Amino acid sequence: MFELLVILIPVLPLAAVLLNGLLGSRYSHDIAHRLGWGSVGLSFLCAVGIFVETLRTGVAREVVAYRWIFGGDLTVNLAFLVDPLTCIMMLVVTGVGFLIHLYSVGYMHGEEGFTRFFTYMNLFMVSMLLLVMGSNYLVLFIGWEGVGLCSYLLIGYYYDRVSAAKAATKAFVVNRIGDAGFLLAIFLIFVNFKTLDYTQVFAQASQLSTGMATAIALCLLIGAVGKSAQIPLYTWLPDAMEGPTPVSALIHAATMVTAGVYMIVRNHVLYDMAPVALTTVAWVGGLTALFAATIGLVQTDIKRVLAYSTVSQLGYMFLACGIGAYTAAIFHLMTHAFFKALLFLSAGSVIHALSGEQDIRNMGGLRSKIPWTHALFLVGTLAIAGIFPLAGFWSKDEIMAHAFTHGQYVLYAMAAIGAFLTAFYMFRLTYLTFYGRSRLDHHVAEHVHESPAVMIGPLVVLAVLSVIGGFPGVPPESGWFHHFLHPVTVAAGGGEEHGAGFGLVATLMVVATAIALLGWGLAHYLYSVRTEAADNLAARAPGAYRTLLNKYYVDELYDFLFVEPAKRLGVVWDWFDRTVIDGIVLGVGRLTQSGSAGSTWIEKHAIYGLINVVGYANHLAARSWRRLQSGKVHHYAAIIVAGLFILVHLILVWWSGSSGIGVASR
Amino acid sequence: MSDLTIQSNGFPWLTAIVFLPLAGTVLLFFLKDAAVRWVALGVALADFALSLPLWILFDPSTPRMQFAEQAAWIVSPPINYSVGVDGISLPLILLTTFLTPLCVLVSWTAIQTRVKGFMACLLVMETAMLGVFVALDFVLFYVFWEAMLIPMYLLIGVWGGPNRVYAAVKFFLYTLTGSVLFLVAILVLFFQGGQTFDILLLSRVEYSSTLQFWLFLAFFAAFAVKVPMFPFHTWLPDAHVEAPTAGSVILASVLLKMGAYGFLRFALPMLPDAAAAFTPMMVALSLTAILYGAYMALAQADLKKLIAYSSVSHMGFVTLGIFALNAQGIEGAMMQMINHGITTGALFLCVGIIYERTHSRMIADNGGLAKPMPRYATFLVIFALSSLGLPGTNSFVGEFLVLVGTFLWSKPATAIAALGIILAAVYLLWMVQRVVFELPTGRTAPTLVDLNLREFVTLAPLVVLVFWIGFFPNPVLTPMHASVNHLIEELDEADQVIAEHGTGLPDMATRRRGDAAISPCLRVSASPCFVHLSLKP
């Protein structure tokens, strides 16, 4: 029963993929979307069952589906590992996934390729579930690449848009760079442990040298950085906003992009042995958190602001991993899934209401027109900004407190500044979208409408989760959440200390709240009280403003450094192939032909005395490319065969001279 | 040779499979033109059906040659009609019989002139290719090996594109040059290996290292051209561009495998010392091919050229795996051979299908096909994803095993090969972006019709294989294990001999393995580097 439930979790959406993918054109959209969200909903129920069972027994179990690859001394099963970490991830993925699927029914209504959309979304669920449920690195890797594929397909959903097609390719290619690092890590693991199973690898991990552990951890980090859009591979995520908004919510905010965090936490045994790698993770995370937040300050596309905020929040999770606060990382992953899905979907509701408008400069004053959406977006903003006692407050505070109590003051400062910026740009977004005077195009303004219940319903659930989602992690570092995850995130022998005193923890909470309120206050001042102040500020520092607006010109830099040279190298090598290599080949051919002409001439004159002077004059005079190349195969063949006979003859003479032909040499 | 072969149980399976297409060719000449296509398809399908029992009856537990048949052909010198299959040739035989019907199908309307001759060429080609994979006698092998050239030459030269003669000549020149040196090597083996052309017997002979060195070079000339390995690859893009679709498919899917098969069947078991000594060079050439092919593919504006160069890159993985000289590498290489046959064959079919509609192979003329041809677009995207080695598709299994094998040999080499994986995503997805996505660019785009039933039937089996091998590779991998392990044992044995007798005078005489110690003059250092290969006079 347990095994069956576990296997059903990914198989149910897979069945929907096959049905919708193969037969979807034969039945109505109603059946297609019911299959879509229905299968994910059932998966969620199965996941709840598995979760309850795991909660009761407290044991990690492995479920083998079948033997997948078998070559030499390498055997890989398609198998699942069910432990507390898997349970949390499964619940988040299927739960949030289910809500987003439901929302999509309304959001995607009437779109061309409706069935295709649900097929891809379900395929994404299958891949993501393989990713979080796999019991070895290769199943993780199938899921890893599978979610990348679905991300690619869904970013390019509006494939006839050039920008969407480009963004899709970019996302896949940048992810591939990370995947190459991930593959190298898998090879290193296989060479060192002769297995790819988590349990066996972690059990033997202590035998690893620090250097090797560091190498593996850093290669894994390359993969994680690609998938989770961290510096320097974050550039694909903002462009990924070309996909439909539910895709941005599910894949590019709540689930897929957190895969890197999951992977690091899953491999924390290896990371714990490699302090250098851990420090790298922390700094990558800290820098990304801060860097992406600064770009988010000035963006004007509602989804792009949210995209940079996602990059920034993922940075917090990496930072948490890097300072050893694995539980906090997963905690923030979970709460972030709630409030970021909420924010994206409410943003989708705004876009839906405004007939596709995404530029916040053309919004404003929507509060009264779409009150539900406004309220829901506001809840999301409060949660992400870290306002007490919403979900984001608890998880972000825990990360920052952990950094402070473990002496990582620089990282703490970066996180704190990042938190201030987050509160600022999120409230800026809220003010510009929902408050002030309306800057709507009057055509758009006439059609503004609140979204249907099928869209608002899931949002309400997410809003509730964004409010209460932090409570399982209260009190910090010793809440229910921490006890549940304790067997997974704490290495044998080690342990997360619970040393910080209550006074310090409380002080840090107050500081965190003050930072968030400060950001809110500044946004309120600039975008609600003195609305011209923001423009003045931008005008006063045009260089800085333009740099931020153009995202520090990183895309341009990468184009200049990598993309253009690669294309040019291809062209140069193409030239090399056609001129140099072919030149040699044809030169040899020409030489052979002359030789052939000569030898044939001798043959014809000296031996047979047959002359065909005209033909030969023609042949030798034929200088043009075509004439030179056409119809002369027999010449090449003749000379080659002649040479062959000579060689064979020589060998026969040689060997018969040394060993005697016809006499057995044995 | 009961210890090397298992005789066929009454029915001459291999003879039947190899010569059925040839018999079909004879039949074709008595038919009216209208029936030619159907009969050719029937013969090809019958041959595929006939080859399936091989796979079912094949005993995967032994490395011995199975379904063997032997008959004297020429008494002096002793040349036999001797055939058999093992785990190395079995998958390639099935690949060949599987793809030939698809080649007939895709040529159904594309070939309008001299249909009879065309179908005859395809079927003769099939006999020759199958003959190469089953031959256990060097002369027989060579006959089939050379026989392949003629129908291929005709396929390109008669039914090819505007520049077909140039391409055909280039193809002919390259391959014939390699073949000639190969023939010389066969003769040398005959005299040095005990006056026999029996491939299995010759594989058991221990050759002196000097001899191995020269023989390897001769084999290399023949096989490297076929693979093709850098820098002997420039015939490939021209041949592909000019060949008709079926010709491209056969060329890419089966003909390119001949070189790799040659390395596995001859170079490794017969010349293990030389193979080990040449490994650094072979790996360097493979890595060059992987990256070079990928960059070249990136620069192409012609779809066929793009896929041709991607073949160079993918075949680089095959040779890389073979010369990792371990079980994962070689099994991965064999998987990659099969997968490349399926995926690249499929991509060429796709190009052929669009060429029939737009009469252009240029990417610029075939943009935005997703709108007018959604089914076609789906197929093309699936094959492109398979080609870039997405997990869950066939190619991943092969590439993964190759990379594991290579990693065991050298970490930097694997890192370089991994770059090839990134580049594969770049050139393939960029192609997909321009051909499938974005707005239609072709003049004919609005009038394009999606796949018809015949085309759908041509592509659908390949998609099934892509996912089937991707998720359940064991039916393909299992038959290989015994043969590959046997090969590895032989290589290890050679390694040990070298380790025990690292120095000594060159000895041109040959002995059976197990006789007095040989004295290799090739020294293979523990850290593989070509500089360590010292050839004493």
Side-chain angles (χ1 to χ4, degrees):
Chain A
M1 186 61 192
F2 185 83
E3 277 84 0
L4 182 71
L5 273 186
V6 169
I7 290 175
L8 271 181
I9 293 174
V11 163
L12 283 166
L14 181 66
V17 170
L18 293 176
L19 279 171
N20 278 341
L22 296 175
L23 307 170
S25 54
R26 288 165 198 236
Y27 46 69
S28 72
H29 288 176
D30 287 346
I31 299 179
H33 77 67
R34 284 195 181 106
L35 277 171
W37 59 260
S39 62
V40 179
L42 286 176
S43 273
F44 175 68
L45 292 181
C46 294
V48 170
I50 298 298
F51 167 68
V52 170
E53 180 68 13
T54 308
L55 202 57
R56 197 175 60 80
T57 59
V59 244
R61 286 174 68 174
E62 206 171 326
V63 178
V64 178
Y66 65 90
R67 195 169 70 173
W68 180 33
I69 296 179
F70 169 53
D73 50 354
L74 167 76
T75 304
V76 183
N77 291 323
L78 198 97
F80 306 116
L81 176 72
V82 180
D83 68 356
L85 179 58
T86 307
C87 284
I88 298 289
M89 292 303 291
M90 279 191 315
L91 286 176
V92 171
V93 169
T94 53
V96 175
F98 170 69
L99 294 172
I100 295 176
H101 272 73
L102 216 53
Y103 172 94
S104 305
V105 176
Y107 189 83
M108 300 301 290
H109 180 77
E111 288 276 355
E112 199 185 334
F114 183 84
T115 310
R116 180 165 57 98
F117 177 83
F118 275 94
T119 312
Y120 291 167
M121 289 288 269
N122 281 8
L123 186 60
F124 170 78
M125 294 307 289
V126 178
S127 310
M128 192 68 206
L129 286 166
L130 284 179
L131 196 160
V132 299
M133 292 170 69
S135 79
N136 61 58
Y137 288 93
L138 223 49
V139 177
L140 171 65
F141 192 69
I142 326 181
W144 193 265
E145 292 269 280
V147 293
L149 164 70
C150 298
S151 158
Y152 165 79
L153 292 170
L154 285 163
I155 296 170
Y157 177 76
Y158 300 112
Y159 53 79
D160 49 356
R161 255 194 234 158
V162 175
S163 54
K166 276 194 177 144
T169 308
K170 181 176 176 182
F172 198 97
V173 168
V174 173
N175 267 295
R176 262 268 151 149
I177 298 169
D179 297 345
F182 189 2
L183 260 186
L184 290 180
I186 293 179
F187 298 144
L188 279 171
I189 288 165
F190 176 68
V191 170
N192 281 290
F193 298 105
K194 292 287 162 211
T195 175
L196 290 175
D197 282 351
Y198 294 150
T199 30
Q200 293 180 47
V201 168
F202 300 148
Q204 302 168 40
S206 54
Q207 299 159 12
L208 221 53
S209 71
T210 308
M212 186 50 74
T214 309
I216 294 174
L218 286 177
C219 282
L220 285 174
L221 177 63
I222 297 174
V225 160
K227 191 64 70 190
S228 293
Q230 298 292 292
I231 291 173
L233 299 180
Y234 68 95
T235 55
W236 64 271
L237 186 59
D239 288 8
M241 296 302 125
E242 289 288 342
T245 306
V247 173
S248 310
L250 178 61
I251 301 184
H252 304 122
T255 54
M256 181 188 87
V257 287
T258 61
V261 180
Y262 164 77
M263 178 169 76
I264 292 176
V265 174
R266 177 57 83 195
N267 288 288
H268 75 93
V269 178
L270 298 173
Y271 278 91
D272 283 338
M273 296 173 60
V276 176
L278 266 186
T279 312
T280 315
V281 172
W283 280 92
V284 165
L287 284 173
T288 309
L290 195 56
F291 180 80
T294 58
I295 301 178
L297 294 177
V298 298
Q299 296 302 309
T300 54
D301 182 309
I302 186 169
K303 282 178 72 181
R304 284 201 175 237
V305 175
L306 292 177
Y308 281 105
S309 118
T310 305
V311 175
S312 172
Q313 295 301 310
L314 289 166
Y316 280 96
M317 297 175 212
F318 271 63
L319 171 60
C321 291
I323 55 176
Y326 302 111
T327 311
I330 294 295
F331 186 33
H332 195 54
L333 186 160
M334 183 179 81
T335 59
H336 175 256
F338 299 151
F339 58 69
K340 191 50 72 63
L342 173 65
L343 283 168
F344 262 114
L345 294 184
S346 345
S349 180
V350 171
I351 297 166
H352 193 73
L354 302 184
S355 323
E357 179 60 72
Q358 294 188 199
D359 194 327
I360 47 176
R361 287 170 299 188
N362 303 330
M363 295 181 187
L366 291 173
R367 180 171 52 144
S368 53
K369 290 181 180 129
I370 42 175
W372 276 96
T373 305
H374 159 253
L376 293 162
F377 195 91
L378 191 62
V379 171
T381 304
L382 291 168
I384 193 176
I387 304 297
F388 180 88
L390 278 75
F393 168 78
W394 299 105
S395 54
K396 199 191 292 179
D397 176 68
E398 184 172 332
I399 295 170
M400 286 164 59
H402 194 101
F404 191 87
T405 53
H406 287 72
Q408 302 283 3
Y409 300 116
V410 182
L411 287 169
Y412 172 80
M414 288 164 80
I417 298 170
F420 168 73
L421 295 176
T422 305
F424 174 77
Y425 67 69
M426 282 311 301
F427 279 104
R428 163 181 175 264
L429 188 62
T430 311
Y431 283 119
L432 286 176
T433 307
F434 294 101
Y435 294 84
R437 66 181 174 80
S438 168
R439 300 178 295 278
L440 293 177
D441 182 280
H442 68 276
H443 291 296
V444 175
E446 284 167 19
H447 296 102
V448 175
H449 55 279
E450 186 58 276
S451 297
V454 70
M455 287 166 68
I456 297 296
L459 289 182
V460 171
V461 178
L462 283 170
V464 171
L465 287 172
S466 299
V467 175
I468 63 165
F471 297 137
V474 182
E477 307 225 341
S478 57
W480 170 87
F481 197 81
H482 304 85
H483 292 298
F484 184 59
L485 276 182
H486 192 264
V488 185
T489 53
V490 176
E496 287 181 43
E497 310 95 297
H498 306 281
F502 176 78
L504 181 58
V505 171
T507 314
L508 286 169
M509 281 185 182
V510 172
V511 172
T513 311
I515 289 170
L517 290 174
L518 208 61
W520 184 358
L522 185 63
H524 182 75
Y525 176 73
L526 285 178
Y527 295 100
S528 187
V529 180
R530 289 191 49 199
T531 44
E532 74 287 352
D535 293 333
N536 292 342
L537 206 61
R540 215 174 300 156
Y545 177 71
R546 223 174 303 123
T547 308
L548 286 181
L549 197 62
N550 286 296
K551 307 158 282 183
Y552 295 98
Y553 300 99
V554 172
D555 275 321
E556 287 76 5
L557 182 72
Y558 285 0
D559 268 356
F560 176 74
L561 285 181
F562 304 112
V563 182
E564 288 308 317
K567 286 184 186 168
R568 239 170 286 143
L569 191 60
V571 175
V572 169
W573 278 8
D574 187 52
W575 174 85
F576 178 79
D577 223 35
R578 281 185 288 114
T579 10
V580 180
I581 298 186
D582 270 4
I584 293 169
V585 171
L586 295 173
V588 171
R590 206 177 295 208
L591 215 64
T592 319
Q593 196 181 25
S594 321
S596 145
S599 72
T600 318
W601 193 87
I602 291 165
E603 191 177 279
K604 285 183 175 176
H605 285 80
I607 302 174
Y608 301 106
L610 295 169
I611 308 164
N612 193 343
V613 181
V614 181
Y616 255 90
N618 256 340
H619 163 66
L620 293 172
R623 296 263 175 244
S624 80
W625 190 260
R626 288 289 298 268
R627 290 296 298 269
L628 198 66
Q629 292 308 322
S630 64
K632 299 287 193 287
V633 195
H634 52 283
H635 282 156
Y636 301 134
I639 195 65
I640 288 170
V641 171
L644 170 68
F645 277 120
I646 294 167
L647 257 174
V648 169
H649 188 72
L650 282 176
I651 287 169
L652 287 178
V653 171
W654 185 23
W655 291 118
S656 59
S658 62
S659 64
I661 193 165
V663 182
S665 65
R666 59 190 85 168
Chain B
M1 301 329 303
S2 57
D3 61 327
L4 294 176
T5 58
I6 300 169
Q7 294 299 314
S8 176
N9 54 346
F11 186 76
W13 287 105
L14 296 179
T15 303
I17 293 168
V18 170
F19 290 102
L20 179 70
L22 195 64
T25 311
V26 177
L27 183 64
L28 284 187
F29 285 101
F30 296 102
L31 292 171
K32 284 189 201 137
D33 272 5
V36 164
R37 294 186 176 95
W38 285 103
V39 172
L41 179 65
V43 171
L45 282 174
D47 209 37
F48 177 55
L50 202 56
S51 65
L52 283 178
L54 277 193
W55 184 37
I56 297 159
L57 299 174
F58 186 84
D59 175 5
S61 64
T62 169
R64 291 192 288 172
M65 286 290 169
Q66 306 184 30
F67 307 99
E69 299 166 41
Q70 195 168 22
W73 184 11
I74 299 168
V75 179
S76 175
I79 299 172
N80 294 316
Y81 173 78
S82 167
V83 294
V85 291
D86 66 354
I88 294 174
S89 48
L90 179 74
L92 293 167
I93 291 170
L94 286 162
L95 179 71
T96 309
T97 57
F98 172 75
L99 283 168
T100 309
L102 303 184
C103 287
V104 174
L105 273 176
V106 80
S107 312
W108 208 263
T109 53
I111 301 297
Q112 294 292 355
T113 54
R114 303 183 212 190
V115 182
K116 201 179 272 187
F118 184 85
M119 294 300 171
C121 274
L122 275 185
L123 292 179
V124 171
M125 191 74 203
E126 185 177 15
T127 289
M129 293 186 298
L130 292 170
V132 166
F133 292 133
V134 299
L136 294 180
D137 182 282
F138 252 131
V139 175
L140 187 66
F141 178 88
Y142 194 74
V143 167
F144 283 126
W145 179 267
E146 291 300 293
M148 289 189 308
L149 276 182
I150 299 157
M152 198 64 221
Y153 177 74
L154 292 175
L155 281 177
I156 299 174
V158 177
W159 291 275
N163 209 8
R164 56 181 180 262
V165 179
Y166 170 68
V169 170
K170 213 166 161 186
F171 165 73
F172 201 84
L173 260 183
Y174 258 112
T175 44
L176 194 63
T177 313
S179 302
V180 167
L181 292 170
F182 183 46
L183 182 57
V184 174
I186 292 178
L187 290 170
V188 172
L189 281 169
F190 176 75
F191 287 109
Q192 287 296 292
Q195 306 263 344
T196 177
F197 285 113
D198 188 313
I199 291 170
L200 299 178
L201 285 180
L202 288 173
S203 302
R204 301 179 98 202
V205 177
E206 187 81 50
Y207 303 96
S208 77
S209 299
T210 317
L211 190 61
Q212 287 198 23
F213 177 84
W214 292 108
L215 286 175
F216 191 92
L217 282 182
F219 280 172
F220 175 74
F223 303 146
V225 166
K226 287 265 177 178
V227 168
M229 294 182 75
F230 178 88
F232 308 108
H233 63 278
T234 62
W235 63 270
L236 185 72
D238 286 313
H240 270 311
V241 166
E242 299 304 328
T245 305
S248 286
V249 173
I250 289 189
L251 198 59
S253 301
V254 187
L255 233 58
L256 300 192
K257 309 303 167 320
M258 297 294 173
Y261 177 74
F263 279 121
L264 283 173
R265 177 64 80 222
F266 307 117
L268 261 50
M270 291 180 188
L271 317 171
D273 306 352
F278 274 101
T279 293
M281 181 185 92
M282 300 302 285
V283 168
L285 286 180
S286 306
L287 292 175
T288 311
I290 290 172
L291 295 187
Y292 192 87
Y295 275 115
M296 293 294 282
L298 202 56
Q300 302 307 317
D302 180 316
L303 279 169
K304 264 195 168 179
K305 276 202 172 175
L306 190 151
I307 300 165
Y309 279 112
S310 84
S311 284
V312 174
S313 185
H314 283 121
M315 291 306 288
F317 278 100
V318 173
T319 46
L320 184 66
I322 292 176
F323 283 90
L325 300 180
N326 53 41
Q328 281 92 0
I330 290 176
E331 287 188 4
M334 288 171 58
M335 278 306 278
Q336 176 81 352
M337 281 158 76
I338 304 300
N339 293 332
H340 177 263
I342 293 167
T343 302
T344 307
L347 284 172
F348 276 121
L349 290 174
C350 285
V351 177
I353 287 170
I354 196 64
Y355 182 76
E356 262 195 82
R357 286 165 170 72
T358 64
H359 304 288
S360 170
R361 287 182 310 262
M362 306 310 281
I363 292 173
D365 294 334
N366 291 309
L369 295 179
K371 271 269 152 61
M373 301 175 69
R375 273 202 210 158
Y376 174 84
T378 310
F379 277 116
L380 186 62
V381 171
I382 290 174
F383 294 132
L385 292 171
S386 158
S387 188
L388 64 83
L390 192 81
T393 67
N394 54 348
S395 307
F396 173 70
V397 182
E399 272 180 15
F400 181 77
L401 287 172
V402 165
L403 289 173
V404 170
T406 311
F407 198 85
L408 294 170
W409 183 77
S410 156
K411 292 176 179 66
T414 317
I416 294 171
L419 281 181
I421 294 187
I422 299 174
L423 288 171
V426 178
Y427 64 75
L428 283 161
L429 292 184
W430 196 32
M431 184 270 283
V432 167
Q433 183 192 320
R434 288 175 294 168
V435 172
V436 176
F437 300 147
E438 301 190 352
L439 288 169
T441 55
R443 294 180 303 277
T444 48
T447 59
L448 287 177
V449 283
D450 210 348
L451 300 180
N452 60 32
L453 182 67
R454 174 180 58 81
E455 291 161 336
F456 189 83
V457 168
T458 313
L459 294 178
L462 291 159
V463 169
V464 172
L465 276 187
V466 162
F467 291 116
W468 182 51
I469 297 181
F471 283 103
F472 305 98
N474 281 327
V476 184
L477 278 169
T478 309
M480 299 176 185
H481 293 320
S483 297
V484 170
N485 286 338
H486 179 68
L487 186 58
I488 299 296
E489 280 164 23
E490 286 191 351
L491 289 169
D492 288 348
E493 216 172 285
D495 267 2
Q496 281 168 14
V497 173
I498 290 178
E500 285 164 22
H501 310 278
T503 55
L505 290 169
D507 184 359
M508 292 301 278
T510 57
R511 300 182 180 93
R512 294 274 171 206
R513 193 164 278 167
D515 284 6
I518 61 148
S519 312
C521 65
L522 292 174
R523 258 175 299 158
V524 181
S525 156
S527 66
C529 172
F530 198 54
V531 184
H532 293 272
L533 177 84
S534 60
L535 182 69
K536 291 187 182 169

